[in-house]
Amino acid sequence: MENNSIENMFCMTLGSDNVRLHEPMKKHTTFRIGGPADYYLCPHSTEELQKILQICRENKLEFFILGNGSNLLVSDKGYRGVVIQLWKNFSDIETEDNTITVKAGALLSKVAAEALEESLTGMEFASGIPGTMGGAVMMNAGAYGGEMKDVLKSVTVADGEGNIIKLSADELNLGYRTSIVKTAGYLVLEAEISLKEGIPEEIKALMKDLTERRTSKQPLEFPSAGSTFKR
């Protein structure tokens, strides 16, 4: 199919403001490097994402799911295919009792701030991690003694065909920087976080301490991966 027809299908699905051609990926990675992606799309909903995946399948287009772009290396040659960014447009956060429901594009720092506002403890470790909920679930992100497997209740994902699946925490096979999301190639859509009631002053103090420890060791004002470890 001609490129103009594919572009028109994406625009009809998302609106032209959420479709960019030849978008420089250096604008969307913390390393600030990367050439242009053929198509750069920003869906708002699961339905839009499913339609994008359908268009990609029907036209044999490679696609890549992008979050906040942290720890991501993109070639100067760019990406020949479709980059789907689940970030600001896909970042709703809702709290009910001790459970926070989070869209994949929400920043972990925003989720930690929501937990603080609701006097819930358990997400403090994630307050300084520069990533989104989707990436955090996929790699079982962690820091300072805490990790996602400690707080995840369930995760809603899409497979490569666009089918929606809800997985309990026990079904996620969470390990050191891995999960079934990563090994099965699922796309995280939403996660449920189960936290405990806490004391706001203590939650805030711990978040402040962890932030100070992180900023004292990492050059956050420069393009970087954040931190690098040798295990």
Side-chain angles (χ1 to χ4, degrees):
M1 184 176 291
E2 294 184 0
N3 289 345
N4 285 344
S5 297
I6 295 173
E7 178 187 351
N8 288 339
M9 286 192 292
F10 285 143
C11 287
M12 289 177 63
T13 300
L14 305 176
S16 58
D17 289 345
N18 297 303
V19 177
R20 302 180 196 174
L21 304 184
H22 313 300
E23 176 73 2
M25 294 311 297
K26 67 182 180 180
K27 295 169 61 176
H28 305 286
T29 64
T30 58
F31 275 119
R32 298 293 181 260
I33 63 173
D38 291 342
Y39 300 95
Y40 173 84
L41 312 178
C42 298
H44 289 80
S45 67
T46 297
E47 292 73 24
E48 289 182 353
L49 177 59
Q50 287 177 302
K51 182 60 176 178
I52 291 171
L53 296 178
Q54 180 183 346
I55 294 170
C56 289
R57 288 195 305 273
E58 292 176 350
N59 293 278
K60 296 180 172 57
L61 294 171
E62 296 290 332
F63 65 87
F64 180 81
I65 303 296
L66 176 69
N68 191 39
S70 56
N71 299 3
L72 180 66
L73 291 170
V74 181
S75 168
D76 288 342
K77 295 180 181 179
Y79 184 75
R80 301 287 71 78
V82 180
V83 172
I84 306 169
Q85 186 166 39
L86 302 183
W87 189 29
K88 292 180 180 179
N89 289 358
F90 210 87
S91 61
D92 293 344
I93 302 173
E94 297 181 359
T95 301
E96 183 175 354
D97 297 326
N98 290 5
T99 299
I100 302 180
T101 303
V102 186
K103 291 288 189 183
L107 292 173
L108 293 180
S109 58
K110 298 291 187 183
V111 181
E114 172 76 6
L116 170 60
E117 185 174 338
E118 298 293 333
S119 301
L120 297 175
T121 183
M123 275 297 290
E124 292 90 336
F125 75 91
S127 60
I129 297 177
T132 60
M133 180 56 65
V137 170
M138 182 184 72
M139 65 175 293
N140 185 28
Y144 299 111
E147 51 189 343
M148 293 305 299
K149 73 175 184 179
D150 300 331
V151 297
L152 279 173
K153 180 178 180 181
S154 69
V155 175
T156 302
V157 301
D159 64 16
E161 300 297 314
N163 300 309
I164 307 301
I165 306 167
K166 187 169 184 177
L167 302 169
S168 68
D170 292 338
E171 296 175 294
L172 293 172
N173 296 342
L174 296 165
Y176 181 74
R177 303 303 175 259
T178 190
S179 70
I180 194 173
V181 174
K182 182 177 181 180
T183 57
Y186 292 145
L187 312 179
V188 177
L189 303 176
E190 185 177 276
E192 287 185 318
I193 305 298
S194 181
L195 303 175
K196 298 179 180 179
E197 293 183 8
I199 301 172
E201 292 76 12
E202 294 181 359
I203 298 170
K204 186 175 182 179
L206 179 54
M207 288 173 61
K208 180 180 179 182
D209 176 60
L210 296 182
T211 298
E212 290 175 350
R213 289 163 64 182
R214 182 180 292 273
T215 55
S216 69
K217 298 175 182 177
Q218 299 176 11
L220 299 180
E221 70 274 22
F222 298 111
S224 74
S227 56
T228 303
F229 299 92
K230 180 180 179 181
R231 296 296 189 189

